[in-house]
């Protein structure tokens, strides 16, 4: 069964460094998402992406964040200059059509020191 | 603003006991409600959605628009039900799913 895959599974970085988190959505899916979960808190929506552009974004998704689908398979989340509070688990998800059933990856844990 | 509230962070029961995980939402229109589950070391996955009115793994959830609730129930909990459960909502012409804070269910033998 196809799955969403994410790399890396864990990344440790210094504050101020750029980080790129990568996702390979399910191949025929059209909508792509990034969510994050700070330890002990809820899963928060960051951004949705459709037809090669951002569809919606939350207030968390400020100028430090960007997303890209550089080729037909990858979907990346870039954090330009990481802050301590960016430490979280970042989940990628995809779906063919908007039904509410998102298919999630296993997550990338980001630790900012 | 749309919001999903799960008042319990942790719910502990013994095997065979009934379980109810509470979920309330705030939205004036007609949202679609979902329950997602995350078992230990596994990815977040859909458990059930209100529009399908199905029972998955013995769990059911009824949308109560008057009380704006979508509680998840199971009459007899099993140890393998131990997991994090998230209530989620999607509404209108948006494509984003918003989650509640989650409830950890622990089922003891």
């Amino acid at each position: 069964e196809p799955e969403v895959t994410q790399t890396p599974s864990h990344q440790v970085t210094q504050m101020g460094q750029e980080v790129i988190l990568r996702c390979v959505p399910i191949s025929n899916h059209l909508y792509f998402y990034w969510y994050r979960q700070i330890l002990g808190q809820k899963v928060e929506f960051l951004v949705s992406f459709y037809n090669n552009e951002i569809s919606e974004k939350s207030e968390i998704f400020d100028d430090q964040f960007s997303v890209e689908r550089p080729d037909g398979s990858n979907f990346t989340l870039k954090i330009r200059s990481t802050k301590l509070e960016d430490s979280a688990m970042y989940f990628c998800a995809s779906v063919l059509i908007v039904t509410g059933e998102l298919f999630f990856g296993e997550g990338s844990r980001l630790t900012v020191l | 603003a749309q919001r999903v509230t799960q008042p319990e962070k942790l719910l502990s029961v013994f095997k065979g006991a009934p379980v109810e995980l509470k979920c309330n939402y705030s939205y004036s229109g007609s949202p679609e409600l979902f329950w997602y589950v995350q078992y230990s070391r596994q990815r977040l996955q859909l458990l059930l959605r209100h529009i399908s009115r199905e029972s998955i793994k013995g769990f059911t959830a009824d949308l109560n628009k008057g009380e704006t609730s979508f509680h998840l129930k199971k009459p007899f909990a099993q140890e393998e039900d131990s997991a994090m459960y998230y209530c989620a909502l999607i509404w209108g012409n948006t494509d984003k799913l918003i989650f509640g804070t989650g409830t950890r269910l622990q089922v003891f033998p």
Side-chain angles (χ1 to χ4, degrees):
Chain A
E1 190 171 328
E3 291 182 332
V4 175
T5 58
Q6 290 185 241
T7 55
S9 56
H10 188 193
Q11 181 157 355
V12 181
T13 190
Q14 296 290 325
M15 191 169 56
Q17 295 297 304
E18 176 182 283
V19 160
I20 296 176
L21 304 178
R22 291 183 168 80
C23 170
V24 179
I26 294 173
S27 62
N28 64 334
H29 284 185
L30 300 176
Y31 292 82
F32 314 111
Y33 302 80
W34 282 101
Y35 283 80
R36 81 170 185 191
Q37 186 175 31
I38 295 170
L39 187 64
Q41 299 186 25
K42 69 178 180 180
V43 178
E44 299 175 289
F45 171 81
L46 290 179
V47 65
S48 59
F49 192 87
Y50 171 72
N51 201 25
N52 282 319
E53 59 183 25
I54 289 175
S55 177
E56 292 190 64
K57 61 182 181 179
S58 71
E59 57 276 8
I60 303 167
F61 195 87
D62 61 21
D63 292 344
Q64 292 299 311
F65 291 88
S66 62
V67 288
E68 197 175 39
R69 188 158 161 80
D71 53 42
S73 59
N74 291 285
F75 180 52
T76 61
L77 174 69
K78 182 193 289 187
I79 309 174
R80 276 183 249 290
S81 177
T82 50
K83 303 188 277 287
L84 294 176
E85 54 265 37
D86 293 328
S87 295
M89 182 74 90
Y90 288 81
F91 294 103
C92 175
S94 70
V95 69
L96 175 59
I97 58 173
V98 178
T99 61
E101 182 178 4
L102 271 55
F103 293 83
F104 282 86
E106 293 186 307
S108 293
R109 180 171 296 285
L110 175 65
T111 301
V112 182
L113 303 176
Chain B
Q2 295 76 18
R3 184 177 295 178
V4 180
T5 304
Q6 294 179 249
E8 303 138 330
K9 281 196 168 182
L10 174 66
L11 184 63
S12 298
V13 300
F14 286 101
K15 176 182 168 182
V19 164
E20 181 178 66
L21 289 84
K22 292 184 168 51
C23 172
N24 288 90
Y25 66 91
S26 60
Y27 176 60
S28 57
S30 295
E32 289 186 49
L33 275 295
F34 306 83
W35 278 98
Y36 275 75
V37 61
Q38 189 172 29
Y39 300 103
S40 179
R41 296 188 177 84
Q42 294 187 29
R43 62 190 70 206
L44 199 57
Q45 60 187 287
L46 179 69
L47 179 63
L48 55 78
R49 67 184 83 196
H50 90 269
I51 57 171
S52 59
R53 294 180 167 274
E54 56 195 346
S55 172
I56 303 292
K57 299 184 179 183
F59 285 97
T60 59
D62 290 318
L63 179 61
N64 185 323
K65 291 187 178 181
E67 296 181 358
T68 59
S69 68
F70 187 56
H71 303 327
L72 183 68
K73 300 176 185 179
K74 185 169 182 176
F76 307 103
Q78 303 300 313
E79 289 178 69
E80 55 266 29
D81 296 329
S82 296
M84 278 294 294
Y85 290 81
Y86 295 93
C87 185
L89 171 156
I90 195 167
W91 73 96
N93 59 359
T94 183
D95 62 8
K96 73 179 183 185
L97 190 66
I98 62 168
F99 288 87
T101 48
T103 298
R104 178 170 299 282
L105 174 64
Q106 288 182 331
V107 182
F108 295 110

